[in-house]
Coordinates of all heavy atoms in Angstrom, one line a residue:
M1 N 48.1 127.3 52.8 CA 48.0 128.7 52.6 C 47.9 129.0 51.1 O 47.2 129.9 50.7 CB 49.3 129.3 53.1 CG 49.3 130.8 53.1 SD 48.1 131.4 54.3 CE 48.6 133.0 54.5
K2 N 48.6 128.2 50.2 CA 48.5 128.5 48.8 C 47.1 128.3 48.3 O 46.6 129.0 47.4 CB 49.5 127.6 48.1 CG 49.5 127.8 46.6 CD 50.5 126.9 45.9 CE 50.6 127.2 44.4 NZ 51.5 126.4 43.7
N3 N 46.4 127.3 48.8 CA 45.0 127.1 48.3 C 44.1 128.2 48.7 O 43.2 128.6 47.9 CB 44.4 125.8 48.9 CG 45.1 124.6 48.4 OD1 45.6 124.6 47.2 ND2 45.1 123.5 49.1
I4 N 44.3 128.8 49.8 CA 43.5 130.0 50.3 C 43.8 131.2 49.3 O 42.9 131.8 48.9 CB 43.8 130.4 51.7 CG1 43.3 129.2 52.6 CG2 43.1 131.7 52.1 CD1 43.7 129.4 54.1
A5 N 45.0 131.4 49.0 CA 45.4 132.5 48.2 C 44.8 132.3 46.8 O 44.3 133.2 46.1 CB 46.9 132.7 48.1
T6 N 44.9 131.1 46.3 CA 44.3 130.8 45.0 C 42.8 131.1 44.9 O 42.3 131.6 43.9 CB 44.6 129.3 44.6 OG1 46.0 129.1 44.6 CG2 44.0 129.0 43.2
K7 N 42.1 130.8 46.0 CA 40.7 131.0 46.0 C 40.4 132.5 46.1 O 39.4 133.0 45.6 CB 40.1 130.2 47.2 CG 40.0 128.7 46.9 CD 39.5 128.0 48.1 CE 39.5 126.5 47.9 NZ 39.0 125.7 49.0
L8 N 41.2 133.2 46.8 CA 41.0 134.7 47.0 C 41.4 135.5 45.9 O 40.7 136.5 45.6 CB 41.7 135.1 48.3 CG 41.2 134.6 49.6 CD1 42.2 135.0 50.7 CD2 39.8 135.0 49.9
I9 N 42.4 135.1 45.1 CA 42.9 135.9 44.0 C 42.5 135.2 42.7 O 43.0 134.2 42.4 CB 44.4 136.1 44.1 CG1 44.8 136.8 45.4 CG2 45.0 136.9 42.9 CD1 46.3 136.8 45.8
E10 N 41.7 135.9 42.0 CA 41.2 135.3 40.7 C 42.4 135.3 39.7 O 43.0 136.3 39.5 CB 40.1 136.1 40.1 CG 39.5 135.4 38.9 CD 38.2 136.1 38.5 OE1 37.9 137.2 38.9 OE2 37.4 135.5 37.8
R11 N 42.7 134.2 39.1 CA 43.8 134.0 38.2 C 43.5 134.8 36.9 O 42.3 134.8 36.4 CB 44.0 132.6 37.8 CG 44.6 131.8 38.9 CD 45.0 130.4 38.5 NE 45.0 130.1 37.1 CZ 44.2 129.2 36.5 NH1 43.4 128.4 37.2 NH2 44.3 129.0 35.2
E12 N 44.4 135.5 36.4 CA 44.3 136.3 35.2 C 43.9 135.5 34.0 O 43.3 135.9 33.0 CB 45.5 137.2 34.9 CG 45.6 138.4 35.8 CD 44.5 139.3 35.7 OE1 44.1 139.7 34.6 OE2 44.0 139.8 36.7
S13 N 44.4 134.2 34.0 CA 44.1 133.3 32.8 C 42.8 132.6 32.9 O 42.4 131.8 32.0 CB 45.2 132.3 32.7 OG 45.3 131.5 33.8
H14 N 42.0 132.9 34.0 CA 40.7 132.3 34.1 C 39.8 132.7 33.0 O 39.9 133.9 32.5 CB 40.1 132.7 35.5 CG 38.8 131.9 35.8 ND1 37.6 132.3 35.4 CD2 38.7 130.7 36.5 CE1 36.7 131.4 35.8 NE2 37.3 130.5 36.5
P15 N 38.9 131.9 32.4 CA 38.0 132.3 31.3 C 37.3 133.6 31.6 O 37.0 134.3 30.6 CB 37.1 131.1 31.2 CG 37.9 129.9 31.6 CD 38.8 130.4 32.8
S16 N 36.9 133.8 32.8 CA 36.1 135.0 33.1 C 37.0 136.3 32.9 O 36.4 137.4 32.8 CB 35.5 135.0 34.5 OG 36.6 135.0 35.5
R17 N 38.3 136.1 32.9 CA 39.2 137.3 32.7 C 39.6 137.4 31.3 O 39.8 138.4 30.7 CB 40.4 137.1 33.7 CG 40.1 137.0 35.1 CD 39.6 138.2 35.7 NE 40.7 139.1 35.9 CZ 40.7 140.3 36.5 NH1 39.6 140.7 37.0 NH2 41.7 141.0 36.6
V18 N 39.8 136.2 30.6 CA 40.3 136.2 29.2 C 39.2 136.6 28.3 O 39.4 137.4 27.4 CB 40.8 134.8 28.9 CG1 41.1 134.7 27.4 CG2 42.0 134.4 29.7
G19 N 37.9 136.2 28.6 CA 36.8 136.5 27.7 C 36.7 138.0 27.4 O 36.6 138.4 26.2
P20 N 36.6 138.9 28.4 CA 36.5 140.3 28.1 C 37.7 140.9 27.3 O 37.5 141.8 26.5 CB 36.4 141.0 29.5 CG 35.9 139.9 30.4 CD 36.5 138.6 29.8
R21 N 38.9 140.3 27.5 CA 40.0 140.8 26.8 C 39.9 140.4 25.3 O 40.2 141.2 24.4 CB 41.3 140.2 27.3 CG 41.7 140.8 28.7 CD 43.1 140.5 29.1 NE 43.4 139.2 29.5 CZ 43.3 138.7 30.7 NH1 43.0 139.6 31.7 NH2 43.6 137.5 31.0
I22 N 39.3 139.2 25.0 CA 39.1 138.8 23.6 C 38.1 139.7 23.0 O 38.2 140.2 21.9 CB 38.7 137.3 23.5 CG1 39.9 136.4 24.1 CG2 38.4 136.9 22.1 CD1 41.2 136.6 23.3
T23 N 37.0 140.0 23.7 CA 35.9 140.9 23.2 C 36.5 142.2 22.9 O 36.2 142.8 21.8 CB 34.8 141.0 24.3 OG1 34.2 139.7 24.5 CG2 33.7 141.9 23.8
A24 N 37.2 142.8 23.9 CA 37.8 144.1 23.7 C 38.8 144.2 22.5 O 38.8 145.1 21.7 CB 38.5 144.6 24.9
M25 N 39.6 143.1 22.4 CA 40.5 143.0 21.3 C 39.8 143.0 19.9 O 40.1 143.7 19.0 CB 41.4 141.8 21.4 CG 42.4 141.6 20.3 SD 42.9 139.9 20.1 CE 41.4 139.2 19.4
R26 N 38.7 142.1 19.9 CA 37.9 142.0 18.6 C 37.3 143.3 18.3 O 37.3 143.8 17.1 CB 36.9 140.9 18.8 CG 36.0 140.8 17.6 CD 34.9 139.7 17.8 NE 34.1 139.9 19.0 CZ 33.1 140.8 19.1 NH1 32.8 141.6 18.1 NH2 32.4 140.8 20.2
E27 N 36.7 144.0 19.2 CA 36.1 145.3 19.0 C 37.1 146.4 18.6 O 36.8 147.2 17.7 CB 35.2 145.7 20.2 CG 34.0 144.8 20.4 CD 33.2 145.2 21.6 OE1 33.7 146.0 22.5 OE2 32.1 144.6 21.7
T28 N 38.2 146.4 19.2 CA 39.3 147.3 18.8 C 39.7 147.1 17.4 O 40.0 148.1 16.6 CB 40.5 147.1 19.8 OG1 40.1 147.4 21.1 CG2 41.7 148.0 19.4
L29 N 39.7 145.9 16.9 CA 40.1 145.5 15.5 C 39.0 145.8 14.6 O 39.1 145.7 13.3 CB 40.5 144.1 15.4 CG 41.8 143.7 16.2 CD1 42.0 142.2 16.2 CD2 43.0 144.4 15.5
G30 N 37.8 146.1 15.1 CA 36.6 146.3 14.2 C 36.1 145.0 13.6 O 35.6 145.1 12.5
K31 N 36.2 143.9 14.2 CA 35.8 142.6 13.7 C 34.5 142.2 14.3 O 34.3 142.4 15.5 CB 36.9 141.6 13.9 CG 38.2 141.9 13.4 CD 38.4 141.3 12.0 CE 39.8 141.5 11.4 NZ 39.7 141.5 10.0
T32 N 33.7 141.5 13.6 CA 32.6 140.8 14.2 C 33.1 139.4 14.7 O 34.2 139.0 14.4 CB 31.5 140.5 13.1 OG1 32.0 139.5 12.1 CG2 31.0 141.7 12.4
K33 N 32.3 138.8 15.5 CA 32.7 137.5 16.0 C 32.9 136.5 14.9 O 33.9 135.8 14.9 CB 31.6 136.9 17.0 CG 31.5 137.6 18.3 CD 30.4 137.0 19.1 CE 30.3 137.8 20.4 NZ 29.2 137.3 21.2
A34 N 32.1 136.6 13.9 CA 32.2 135.7 12.7 C 33.5 135.9 12.0 O 34.3 135.0 11.6 CB 31.0 135.8 11.8
E35 N 33.9 137.2 11.8 CA 35.1 137.6 11.1 C 36.3 137.1 11.9 O 37.3 136.5 11.3 CB 35.2 139.1 10.9 CG 34.2 139.6 9.8 CD 34.1 141.1 9.8 OE1 34.4 141.8 10.8 OE2 33.8 141.6 8.7
L36 N 36.3 137.3 13.2 CA 37.5 136.9 14.0 C 37.6 135.4 14.0 O 38.7 134.9 13.7 CB 37.4 137.4 15.4 CG 38.5 137.0 16.3 CD1 39.9 137.5 15.8 CD2 38.3 137.4 17.8
A37 N 36.5 134.7 14.2 CA 36.5 133.2 14.3 C 37.0 132.7 13.0 O 37.9 131.8 13.0 CB 35.1 132.7 14.6
D38 N 36.5 133.2 11.9 CA 36.9 132.6 10.6 C 38.4 132.9 10.3 O 39.1 132.1 9.7 CB 36.0 133.2 9.5 CG 34.6 132.7 9.5 OD1 34.3 131.8 10.3 OD2 33.7 133.3 8.8
S39 N 38.8 134.1 10.7 CA 40.2 134.5 10.4 C 41.3 133.6 11.1 O 42.4 133.5 10.7 CB 40.5 135.9 10.7 OG 40.5 136.2 12.1
I40 N 40.8 133.0 12.3 CA 41.8 132.2 13.0 C 41.4 130.7 13.0 O 41.9 129.9 13.8 CB 41.9 132.7 14.5 CG1 40.6 132.7 15.2 CG2 42.6 134.1 14.5 CD1 40.7 133.0 16.7
S41 N 40.5 130.4 12.1 CA 40.0 129.0 12.0 C 39.5 128.4 13.3 O 39.9 127.4 13.8 CB 41.1 128.1 11.4 OG 41.6 128.5 10.2
F42 N 38.5 129.1 13.9 CA 38.0 128.8 15.2 C 36.5 128.8 15.1 O 35.9 129.6 14.3 CB 38.4 129.9 16.2 CG 38.3 129.6 17.6 CD1 38.8 128.4 18.2 CD2 37.6 130.4 18.5 CE1 38.6 128.1 19.5 CE2 37.4 130.1 19.8 CZ 38.0 129.0 20.3
S43 N 35.9 127.9 15.8 CA 34.4 127.8 15.8 C 33.8 129.1 16.3 O 34.1 129.6 17.4 CB 34.0 126.6 16.7 OG 32.7 126.8 17.1
R44 N 32.8 129.6 15.6 CA 32.1 130.8 16.0 C 31.3 130.6 17.3 O 31.4 131.5 18.2 CB 31.0 131.2 14.9 CG 31.7 131.6 13.6 CD 30.7 131.9 12.5 NE 31.3 132.2 11.3 CZ 30.6 132.6 10.2 NH1 29.3 132.8 10.3 NH2 31.3 132.9 9.1
S45 N 30.7 129.5 17.5 CA 30.0 129.2 18.8 C 31.0 129.1 20.0 O 30.7 129.6 21.0 CB 29.1 128.0 18.7 OG 29.9 126.8 18.5
T46 N 32.1 128.6 19.7 CA 33.1 128.5 20.8 C 33.7 129.9 21.1 O 33.9 130.2 22.3 CB 34.2 127.5 20.5 OG1 33.7 126.2 20.1 CG2 35.2 127.3 21.6
L47 N 33.9 130.7 20.1 CA 34.3 132.1 20.4 C 33.3 132.8 21.2 O 33.7 133.5 22.2 CB 34.6 132.8 19.1 CG 35.0 134.3 19.2 CD1 36.3 134.4 20.0 CD2 35.1 135.0 17.9
T48 N 32.0 132.6 21.0 CA 31.0 133.2 21.8 C 31.1 132.8 23.2 O 31.1 133.6 24.2 CB 29.6 132.9 21.2 OG1 29.5 133.5 19.9 CG2 28.5 133.5 22.1
K49 N 31.4 131.5 23.5 CA 31.5 131.0 24.8 C 32.8 131.5 25.5 O 32.8 131.8 26.7 CB 31.6 129.4 24.8 CG 30.2 128.8 24.5 CD 30.4 127.3 24.4 CE 29.0 126.7 23.9 NZ 29.1 125.2 23.8
V50 N 33.8 131.7 24.7 CA 35.1 132.2 25.2 C 34.8 133.7 25.7 O 35.2 134.1 26.8 CB 36.2 132.1 24.2 CG1 37.4 133.0 24.6 CG2 36.7 130.7 24.0
E51 N 34.2 134.4 24.8 CA 34.0 135.9 25.1 C 33.1 136.0 26.4 O 33.2 137.0 27.1 CB 33.4 136.6 23.9 CG 34.4 136.8 22.9 CD 34.0 137.8 21.8 OE1 32.9 138.4 22.0 OE2 34.7 138.0 20.8
K52 N 32.2 135.1 26.6 CA 31.3 135.1 27.7 C 31.9 134.6 29.0 O 31.4 134.7 30.1 CB 30.0 134.3 27.5 CG 29.1 134.9 26.5 CD 27.8 134.0 26.3 CE 26.8 134.6 25.4 NZ 25.6 133.7 25.2
G53 N 33.1 134.0 28.8 CA 33.9 133.4 30.0 C 33.4 132.0 30.4 O 33.6 131.5 31.4
E54 N 32.6 131.4 29.4 CA 32.1 130.1 29.7 C 33.0 129.0 29.3 O 32.8 127.8 29.6 CB 30.7 129.9 29.0 CG 29.7 130.9 29.5 CD 28.4 130.9 28.6 OE1 28.4 130.2 27.6 OE2 27.5 131.6 29.0
A55 N 34.0 129.3 28.5 CA 35.0 128.3 28.0 C 36.4 128.9 28.0 O 36.5 130.2 27.8 CB 34.6 127.9 26.6
G56 N 37.4 128.1 28.2 CA 38.7 128.6 28.2 C 39.2 128.7 26.7 O 38.6 128.2 25.8
L57 N 40.3 129.5 26.6 CA 40.9 129.7 25.2 C 42.2 128.8 25.1 O 43.1 129.1 25.9 CB 41.2 131.2 25.0 CG 41.8 131.5 23.6 CD1 40.6 131.4 22.6 CD2 42.3 133.0 23.6
D58 N 42.1 127.9 24.3 CA 43.2 127.0 24.0 C 44.5 127.8 23.6 O 44.3 128.7 22.8 CB 42.9 126.0 23.0 CG 43.9 124.9 22.7 OD1 43.9 123.9 23.5 OD2 44.8 125.1 21.8
I59 N 45.6 127.4 24.1 CA 46.9 128.1 23.8 C 47.1 128.2 22.3 O 47.6 129.2 21.8 CB 48.1 127.5 24.5 CG1 49.3 128.4 24.4 CG2 48.4 126.1 24.1 CD1 49.2 129.7 25.2
A60 N 46.8 127.1 21.5 CA 47.0 127.1 20.1 C 46.1 128.2 19.4 O 46.6 128.9 18.5 CB 46.6 125.8 19.5
V61 N 44.9 128.5 19.9 CA 44.1 129.5 19.4 C 44.7 130.9 19.8 O 44.7 131.8 19.0 CB 42.6 129.4 19.9 CG1 41.8 130.5 19.4 CG2 42.1 128.1 19.4
G62 N 45.2 131.0 21.0 CA 45.8 132.2 21.4 C 47.0 132.6 20.6 O 47.2 133.7 20.2
E63 N 47.8 131.6 20.2 CA 48.9 131.8 19.3 C 48.5 132.2 17.9 O 49.1 133.1 17.3 CB 49.7 130.5 19.2 CG 50.5 130.2 20.5 CD 51.2 128.8 20.4 OE1 50.8 127.9 19.6 OE2 52.1 128.6 21.2
R64 N 47.4 131.7 17.4 CA 46.9 132.2 16.1 C 46.4 133.6 16.2 O 46.7 134.4 15.2 CB 45.7 131.3 15.6 CG 46.2 129.9 15.2 CD 45.2 129.1 14.4 NE 43.9 128.9 15.0 CZ 43.5 127.8 15.6 NH1 44.4 126.8 15.8 NH2 42.3 127.7 16.1
I65 N 45.8 134.0 17.3 CA 45.4 135.4 17.5 C 46.7 136.3 17.5 O 46.7 137.3 16.8 CB 44.6 135.6 18.8 CG1 43.2 134.9 18.6 CG2 44.4 137.1 19.1 CD1 42.4 134.8 19.9
A66 N 47.7 135.9 18.3 CA 48.9 136.6 18.4 C 49.6 136.8 17.1 O 50.0 137.9 16.7 CB 49.8 136.0 19.4
D67 N 49.7 135.7 16.3 CA 50.3 135.7 15.0 C 49.6 136.6 14.0 O 50.2 137.3 13.2 CB 50.5 134.3 14.4 CG 51.5 133.5 15.2 OD1 52.3 134.0 15.9 OD2 51.5 132.2 15.0
S68 N 48.3 136.5 14.1 CA 47.4 137.2 13.1 C 47.3 138.7 13.4 O 47.2 139.5 12.4 CB 46.0 136.6 13.0 OG 46.1 135.3 12.6
Y69 N 47.2 139.1 14.7 CA 46.8 140.5 15.0 C 47.8 141.2 15.9 O 47.6 142.4 16.2 CB 45.5 140.5 15.7 CG 44.4 140.0 14.7 CD1 43.9 138.7 14.9 CD2 44.0 140.7 13.6 CE1 42.9 138.2 14.0 CE2 43.0 140.3 12.8 CZ 42.5 139.0 13.0 OH 41.5 138.5 12.1
G70 N 48.9 140.6 16.3 CA 49.9 141.2 17.1 C 49.7 141.4 18.5 O 50.4 142.1 19.2
F71 N 48.6 140.9 19.0 CA 48.3 140.9 20.5 C 49.0 139.7 21.1 O 48.7 138.6 20.7 CB 46.8 140.8 20.7 CG 46.0 142.1 20.4 CD1 45.7 142.3 19.1 CD2 45.6 142.9 21.4 CE1 44.9 143.5 18.7 CE2 44.9 144.1 21.1 CZ 44.6 144.3 19.7
G72 N 49.9 140.0 22.0 CA 50.7 138.9 22.5 C 50.0 138.1 23.5 O 48.9 138.4 24.1
L73 N 50.6 136.9 23.8 CA 50.0 136.0 24.7 C 49.9 136.5 26.1 O 49.0 136.2 26.9 CB 50.7 134.6 24.7 CG 50.7 133.9 23.4 CD1 51.6 132.6 23.4 CD2 49.3 133.5 23.0
D74 N 50.9 137.4 26.5 CA 50.8 138.0 27.8 C 49.6 138.9 28.0 O 49.1 139.0 29.1 CB 52.1 138.8 28.1 CG 53.3 137.9 28.6 OD1 53.0 136.7 29.0 OD2 54.4 138.4 28.5
F75 N 49.2 139.5 26.9 CA 47.9 140.3 27.0 C 46.7 139.3 27.1 O 45.9 139.5 28.0 CB 47.7 141.2 25.9 CG 46.3 141.8 25.8 CD1 45.9 142.7 26.8 CD2 45.4 141.3 24.9 CE1 44.6 143.2 26.8 CE2 44.1 141.8 24.9 CZ 43.7 142.7 25.9
I76 N 46.7 138.4 26.2 CA 45.5 137.5 26.1 C 45.3 136.7 27.5 O 44.2 136.7 28.0 CB 45.7 136.5 25.0 CG1 45.6 137.3 23.6 CG2 44.6 135.4 25.0 CD1 46.1 136.4 22.4
Y77 N 46.4 136.2 28.0 CA 46.2 135.3 29.2 C 46.5 136.0 30.5 O 46.2 135.5 31.6 CB 47.1 134.1 29.0 CG 46.6 133.2 27.9 CD1 47.3 133.1 26.7 CD2 45.4 132.4 28.1 CE1 46.8 132.4 25.7 CE2 45.0 131.6 27.1 CZ 45.6 131.6 25.9 OH 45.2 130.8 24.8
R78 N 47.2 137.1 30.5 CA 47.6 137.8 31.7 C 47.1 139.3 31.8 O 47.2 139.9 32.9 CB 49.1 137.8 31.9 CG 49.7 136.4 32.1 CD 51.2 136.5 32.3 NE 51.7 135.2 32.4 CZ 53.0 134.9 32.4 NH1 53.9 135.9 32.2 NH2 53.4 133.7 32.6
G79 N 46.7 139.8 30.7 CA 46.2 141.2 30.8 C 47.3 142.2 30.7 O 47.1 143.4 31.0
D80 N 48.5 141.9 30.3 CA 49.6 142.8 30.2 C 49.5 143.7 29.0 O 49.7 143.3 27.8 CB 50.9 142.0 30.1 CG 52.2 142.8 30.2 OD1 52.1 144.0 30.1 OD2 53.3 142.2 30.2
L81 N 49.2 144.9 29.2 CA 49.0 145.9 28.1 C 50.3 146.2 27.4 O 50.3 146.7 26.3 CB 48.4 147.2 28.6 CG 47.0 147.1 29.1 CD1 46.5 148.4 29.7 CD2 46.1 146.7 27.9
D82 N 51.5 145.9 27.9 CA 52.7 146.1 27.2 C 52.8 145.1 26.0 O 53.7 145.3 25.2 CB 53.9 145.8 28.2 CG 54.1 147.0 29.2 OD1 53.7 148.1 28.9 OD2 54.7 146.7 30.2
D83 N 52.0 144.1 26.0 CA 52.0 143.1 25.0 C 50.9 143.4 23.9 O 50.4 142.5 23.3 CB 51.8 141.7 25.6 CG 52.6 140.6 24.8 OD1 53.4 141.0 24.0 OD2 52.3 139.4 25.1
V84 N 50.5 144.7 23.8 CA 49.5 145.1 22.8 C 50.2 146.1 21.9 O 51.0 147.0 22.4 CB 48.3 145.8 23.6 CG1 47.4 146.4 22.6 CG2 47.6 144.8 24.5
P85 N 49.9 146.1 20.6 CA 50.4 147.1 19.7 C 50.1 148.5 20.3 O 49.0 148.8 20.7 CB 49.7 146.9 18.4 CG 49.3 145.5 18.4 CD 49.0 145.2 19.9
H86 N 51.2 149.3 20.4 CA 51.1 150.7 21.0 C 50.0 151.5 20.4 O 49.2 152.2 21.2 CB 52.4 151.4 20.9 CG 52.5 152.7 21.6 ND1 52.4 152.8 22.9 CD2 52.5 154.0 21.0 CE1 52.4 154.1 23.2 NE2 52.4 154.8 22.1
T87 N 49.8 151.4 19.1 CA 48.8 152.3 18.5 C 47.3 151.9 18.8 O 46.4 152.6 18.6 CB 48.9 152.2 16.9 OG1 48.8 150.9 16.5 CG2 50.3 152.8 16.5
L88 N 47.2 150.7 19.4 CA 45.8 150.2 19.7 C 45.5 150.2 21.2 O 44.3 150.0 21.6 CB 45.7 148.7 19.2 CG 45.8 148.5 17.7 CD1 45.7 147.0 17.4 CD2 44.8 149.3 17.0
R89 N 46.4 150.6 22.0 CA 46.2 150.5 23.5 C 45.1 151.4 24.0 O 44.3 150.9 24.8 CB 47.5 150.9 24.2 CG 48.5 149.8 24.2 CD 49.8 150.1 25.0 NE 50.8 149.2 24.6 CZ 52.1 149.4 24.9 NH1 52.5 150.5 25.6 NH2 53.0 148.5 24.5
E90 N 45.0 152.6 23.6 CA 44.0 153.5 24.1 C 42.6 153.0 23.8 O 41.7 152.9 24.6 CB 44.2 154.9 23.5 CG 43.2 155.9 24.1 CD 43.5 157.4 23.6 OE1 44.6 157.7 23.2 OE2 42.5 158.2 23.7
S91 N 42.4 152.6 22.5 CA 41.1 152.1 22.1 C 40.8 150.8 22.8 O 39.7 150.5 23.2 CB 41.1 151.9 20.6 OG 39.9 151.3 20.2
L92 N 41.8 150.0 23.0 CA 41.6 148.7 23.7 C 41.2 148.9 25.1 O 40.3 148.2 25.6 CB 42.9 147.9 23.6 CG 42.9 146.6 24.4 CD1 42.0 145.6 23.6 CD2 44.2 146.0 24.6
V93 N 41.8 149.8 25.8 CA 41.4 150.0 27.2 C 40.0 150.5 27.3 O 39.2 150.0 28.2 CB 42.4 151.1 27.9 CG1 41.9 151.5 29.2 CG2 43.8 150.5 28.0
K94 N 39.5 151.4 26.4 CA 38.1 151.8 26.4 C 37.2 150.6 26.2 O 36.2 150.4 26.9 CB 37.9 152.8 25.3 CG 38.5 154.2 25.7 CD 38.3 155.2 24.5 CE 39.1 156.5 24.8 NZ 39.0 157.4 23.7
N95 N 37.6 149.8 25.2 CA 36.7 148.6 24.9 C 36.8 147.6 26.0 O 35.8 146.9 26.3 CB 37.2 148.0 23.6 CG 36.7 148.8 22.4 OD1 35.6 149.4 22.4 ND2 37.5 148.8 21.4
L96 N 37.9 147.5 26.7 CA 38.1 146.5 27.8 C 37.2 146.9 29.0 O 36.5 146.1 29.6 CB 39.5 146.4 28.2 CG 39.9 145.4 29.2 CD1 39.4 144.0 28.8 CD2 41.4 145.4 29.5
N97 N 37.2 148.2 29.3 CA 36.3 148.7 30.3 C 34.8 148.5 30.0 O 34.0 148.1 30.9 CB 36.5 150.2 30.6 CG 37.8 150.4 31.3 OD1 38.3 149.6 32.0 ND2 38.4 151.6 31.0
K98 N 34.5 148.7 28.7 CA 33.1 148.4 28.3 C 32.8 146.9 28.4 O 31.7 146.6 28.9 CB 32.9 148.9 26.8 CG 31.5 148.8 26.3 CD 31.4 149.4 24.9 CE 31.9 148.5 23.9 NZ 31.7 148.9 22.5
A99 N 33.7 146.1 28.0 CA 33.5 144.6 28.0 C 33.3 144.1 29.4 O 32.5 143.2 29.7 CB 34.6 143.9 27.3
R100 N 34.1 144.6 30.3 CA 34.1 144.2 31.7 C 32.8 144.6 32.4 O 32.3 143.9 33.3 CB 35.3 144.6 32.5 CG 36.5 143.9 32.1 CD 37.7 144.3 32.9 NE 38.8 143.4 32.7 CZ 40.1 143.7 32.9 NH1 40.4 144.9 33.4 NH2 41.1 142.9 32.6
S101 N 32.2 145.7 32.0 CA 31.0 146.2 32.7 C 29.8 145.7 32.1 O 28.7 145.8 32.6 CB 31.0 147.7 32.7 OG 30.9 148.2 31.3
A102 N 29.9 144.9 31.0 CA 28.7 144.4 30.3 C 28.2 143.1 31.0 O 28.8 142.5 31.8 CB 29.0 144.0 28.8

């Protein structure tokens, strides 16, 4: 039964779910891909793959994002908006909707 549920319910930490959150976060911060990647010592090409949902986001990179920009791991990996700086939530939601529909 658990295998069926896993197949039916897409995990929030799946790259296809994390990617749009990273894109929305980056756009909310007003950063280019290059600026974000450089600021967290991350490969620009890998960031592009992460944003497209083609690659997973290593937890160490998620921690660097959280430490640098205040977006918590619960937002990055689970989509929990309570783990986003309050002043950025409205803009983030708009950018998230845009990123998911792209």
Side-chain angles (χ1 to χ4, degrees):
M1 188 69 161
K2 184 177 180 181
N3 289 335
I4 293 171
T6 300
K7 290 178 183 178
L8 292 175
I9 301 170
E10 189 171 16
R11 290 186 13 239
E12 284 299 314
S13 61
H14 189 274
S16 66
R17 304 289 283 186
V18 172
R21 289 195 287 269
I22 298 301
T23 300
M25 181 204 69
R26 177 180 57 75
E27 291 176 349
T28 298
L29 293 169
K31 302 268 184 205
T32 65
K33 287 180 188 177
E35 289 171 333
L36 178 62
D38 291 349
S39 74
I40 58 170
S41 303
F42 194 54
S43 159
R44 294 176 184 188
S45 62
T46 305
L47 178 60
T48 296
K49 290 177 184 176
V50 167
E51 287 193 6
K52 289 181 178 179
E54 296 172 356
L57 184 68
D58 185 87
I59 190 72
V61 177
E63 289 174 339
R64 287 196 302 265
I65 292 170
D67 289 344
S68 297
Y69 298 105
F71 288 79
L73 296 176
D74 279 343
F75 168 72
I76 294 169
Y77 294 104
R78 295 181 180 169
D80 184 353
L81 290 173
D82 288 335
D83 213 14
V84 172
H86 183 70
T87 57
L88 300 176
R89 285 184 195 166
E90 185 177 337
S91 177
L92 178 74
V93 169
K94 289 177 186 174
N95 287 323
L96 189 54
N97 288 330
K98 184 173 81 173
R100 285 186 175 157
S101 64

